[in-house]
Amino acid sequence: MAELNGLADDRALLGRTSTAERVSDILRSRIAEGFFPPGTRLSEDSIGGALGVSRNTLRESFRLLTHERLLVHELNRGVFVRIPTVEDVEDIYRTRSLVECAVVRGLGKPPYAVDGLARVVADGQRATVEKDWKALGTSNIRFHRELVALAGSARTDELMRRVFAELRLAFHLVDDPRRLHEPYLARNGQILKALQDGGRDEAEQLLATYLVDSRSRVVEVYGRRVEEKKLG
């Protein structure tokens, strides 16, 4: 299976203390990166063999990822990568607005540690020059993960890592990632510039508007794509 390419290489990440949580981390990353697209059936034998883990460990990992809404178990059919609903996408954006804007609002006095944000913006610019639209989408998600990381909260990082992984499921079903992601590269740069200048309030306002516009655009495109799949 093409989606299993390279998965065996991740076996080293498990180390000697292989756990369901570590397997979940690997699979979550693979799902978010599109190696297992929405709707894909996950084979216990193939994945367990590639990672060198027991069936029980893998099933526990599947259970954890099902709880995170990344997988779904269908009776007598198996475990599949979940296809989010339009309502899921809308709820993801509500969560993003609540958390991301609160993070920026709660920043202390400048200067802010925005080197990570600057690197991700540069990655996005490079991806655009190279017309690598999948990489551009990844850089957009990473920009917001770096933004959340400014809070210095491991719990918030963990929460949003799961939220962004679920959002990527929706992104993978969109046929034109360039139109979806390219307009927001410049806006990432504007938020970065505001924070570099110490403009926390300006950055929050830019972010709030960004998320409203992004939500509207993604819901429109994704909703249309879901309807097409139903009709097809």
Side-chain angles (χ1 to χ4, degrees), residues 186-203:
R187 298 173 80 161
N188 289 345
Q190 292 171 354
I191 293 170
L192 170 63
K193 181 65 164 56
L195 291 174
Q196 287 173 328
D197 293 343
R200 180 186 61 189
D201 293 344
E202 179 187 359

Side-chain angles (χ1 to χ4, degrees), residues 80-91:
F80 294 80
V81 179
R82 189 168 177 271
I83 300 175
T85 65
V86 173
E87 291 75 19
D88 289 328
V89 176
E90 292 176 334
D91 193 42

Side-chain angles (χ1 to χ4, degrees), residues 63-75:
R63 187 190 68 79
L64 293 171
L65 294 176
T66 299
H67 181 69
E68 294 179 18
R69 303 174 64 82
L70 295 179
L71 301 180
V72 61
H73 180 267
E74 296 186 10
L75 189 62

